[in-house]
Amino acid sequence: MAPVASGRGPAAALRETVELAQRAEQFGYRRFWVAEHHFASGVASSSPAVLSAIIAGATSTIRVGSGAVLLGYYTPVSVAEQFGTVALAHPGRVDLGLGRSGLVRAKDLAKLFGSTTAPQVPSRNVDGLVIPGRPKGALDRPEVQRRFEASHRLLGAREDEVDYGVQVRQILAFLTTGHTDDDGHLFQAPSAQGTDTQLWVLGSSAGPSAKAAGELGLPFTANYHVSPSSVLEAVEAYRAAFVPSEAFPEPYVMVSADVVVAEDTATARELARPYGQWVLSIRSGEGAIPFPTAEEAAAFEWTDQLRSLVADRVETQFVGTSGEVAEKLDTLRRVTGADELMVTTITHGHAARIRSFELLAKEWIN
């Protein structure tokens, strides 16, 4: 993401994100993806295509792209053309990661993150990996549902559900030979067709995203850092649905994790202290707040109910020295069978965030 830190604004967040991408390239990371968030004072990455283009222009070798474009707010051809245009300017370096959050109604989000009346499912340990129960959330409250519905309308989400697999197929067609409609008309998008944009599908559950990625032989990213309780279900559903393609004869899985690395464990824990409060702002339905300082986080008053809303995310954040975090990431890779890992790190201080990526890269490479 392009997180906005407390006391700083979105312009600083964007500058820091570009600098982080440049440093990540130096550290040896393979990809740099940016997320899409709207109506959130704590996140500046509302337009992944634009931000990806800016980052690609400021770097030279690292792959750039979206993690993810929320397809419910766009037409398939507009997404293909946007990222195809970036790929024309930066060939061999553009990834187009697709999400479907814009198509998910508030009631579906409430199911994903847990109802206040649903029984709490305990955490379990799967061969060393923590798989938490889904939290008892607050997203099923009527006022939160109304806010979600209103935001979806402002962003142009369709009132009727569109088959996600059909939309992904259309994007794939525009990137290759073109799309033929029901009447046999062929539509080609020159800014997208024939570009080497690599298409990915991101998913948080064993739902339409995992199924579409598998059926189309596309690579799949499972979001352990967003919905750790369902990561194994998502990966299993993808592999079960997988049909070999020319580009991917075998399933190809990336798994995400939220990490904070520092020279010593105590420092890492202090840097990660505001994370729970920040996640709470998202889970409350109001949108991410600017990432708090450690002092602001220490002053926050927690209740047992509030802690239960974010427990799954807090207990699955990998925090510690580079060796400690690398060991946990290796467990995540082993248990999920991931081919790649995606790491996301947010700290209030920009220098600490860069240092976290640097320490992890040195440990992982060695």
Side-chain angles (χ1 to χ4, degrees):
M1 288 179 288
V4 178
S6 174
R8 303 201 292 277
L14 292 176
R15 289 193 299 271
E16 291 169 356
T17 299
V18 172
E19 183 185 357
L20 178 61
Q22 293 171 328
R23 298 300 301 277
E25 182 175 77
Q26 295 171 2
F27 299 153
Y29 287 90
R30 184 178 182 184
R31 310 176 193 270
F32 194 96
W33 288 1
V34 290
E36 177 177 350
H37 289 263
H38 300 277
F39 307 119
S41 61
V43 183
S45 52
S46 58
S47 180
V50 175
L51 187 51
S52 294
I54 294 171
I55 293 171
T59 54
S60 57
T61 59
I62 196 169
R63 296 189 67 92
V64 300
S66 56
V69 166
L70 303 183
L71 190 50
Y73 304 142
Y74 310 91
T75 62
V77 66
S78 67
V79 173
E81 288 179 332
Q82 288 169 8
F83 282 84
T85 299
V86 181
L88 288 174
H90 304 280
R93 296 181 55 207
V94 175
D95 297 332
L96 169 52
L98 301 175
R100 64 178 295 267
S101 295
L103 296 173
V104 180
R105 300 302 180 95
K107 61 178 181 292
D108 296 323
L109 287 172
K111 291 178 183 178
L112 180 62
F113 293 123
S115 166
T116 52
T117 59
Q120 183 69 45
V121 178
S123 296
R124 57 195 173 104
N125 188 296
V126 179
D127 199 16
L129 180 68
V130 174
I131 301 296
R134 292 182 179 178
K136 295 180 67 173
L139 293 183
D140 57 347
R141 290 179 297 153
E143 63 272 22
V144 175
Q145 293 186 34
R146 287 194 295 269
R147 177 180 172 83
F148 272 119
E149 293 290 345
S151 66
H152 289 345
R153 287 194 296 271
L154 286 171
L155 291 165
R158 295 172 56 116
E159 290 297 325
D160 57 321
E161 288 290 338
V162 180
D163 186 276
Y164 183 68
V166 170
Q167 290 191 306
V168 177
R169 283 180 172 85
Q170 286 187 15
I171 292 177
L172 191 58
F174 283 121
L175 291 173
T176 53
T177 58
H179 169 66
T180 302
D181 70 5
D182 293 338
D183 295 323
H185 300 131
L186 176 64
F187 293 89
Q188 295 176 309
S191 60
Q193 188 173 356
T195 63
D196 53 10
T197 307
Q198 188 174 96
L199 196 60
W200 287 74
V201 175
L202 284 76
S204 298
S205 68
S209 297
K211 181 180 178 182
E215 291 178 346
L216 294 173
L218 295 171
F220 179 67
T221 299
N223 298 325
Y224 184 72
H225 84 285
V226 171
S227 184
S229 63
S230 54
V231 65
L232 297 182
E233 302 167 17
V235 171
E236 182 180 354
Y238 164 67
R239 292 196 171 107
F242 189 81
V243 176
S245 63
E246 182 178 351
F248 292 92
E250 302 288 339
Y252 196 90
V253 174
M254 180 189 291
V255 178
S256 65
D258 203 299
V259 313
V260 176
V261 180
E263 279 82 358
D264 59 81
T265 304
T267 299
R269 289 175 177 169
E270 185 70 7
L271 292 171
R273 182 197 288 260
Y275 182 70
Q277 184 183 352
W278 182 79
V279 172
L280 179 63
S281 68
I282 300 173
R283 290 278 173 88
S284 69
E286 296 298 318
I289 60 173
F291 199 78
T293 63
E295 293 75 19
E296 290 170 335
F300 185 78
E301 295 184 5
W302 287 94
T303 65
D304 290 342
Q305 181 182 9
L306 292 179
R307 289 188 187 280
S308 71
L309 296 180
V310 300
D312 63 320
R313 292 280 297 271
V314 172
E315 69 178 316
T316 56
Q317 186 185 33
F318 298 160
V319 179
T321 64
S322 58
E324 292 169 339
V325 171
E327 183 177 358
K328 294 176 182 178
L329 286 172
D330 196 50
T331 297
L332 178 64
R333 179 177 63 173
R334 173 174 48 80
V335 175
T336 61
D339 299 283
E340 290 188 40
L341 296 177
M342 175 200 299
V343 294
T344 177
T345 298
I346 304 178
T347 60
H348 183 270
H350 180 51
R353 189 174 181 221
I354 290 178
R355 183 60 172 160
S356 178
F357 279 94
E358 180 181 17
L359 290 170
L360 180 59
K362 289 179 177 179
E363 178 72 27
W364 195 264
I365 291 173
N366 293 332

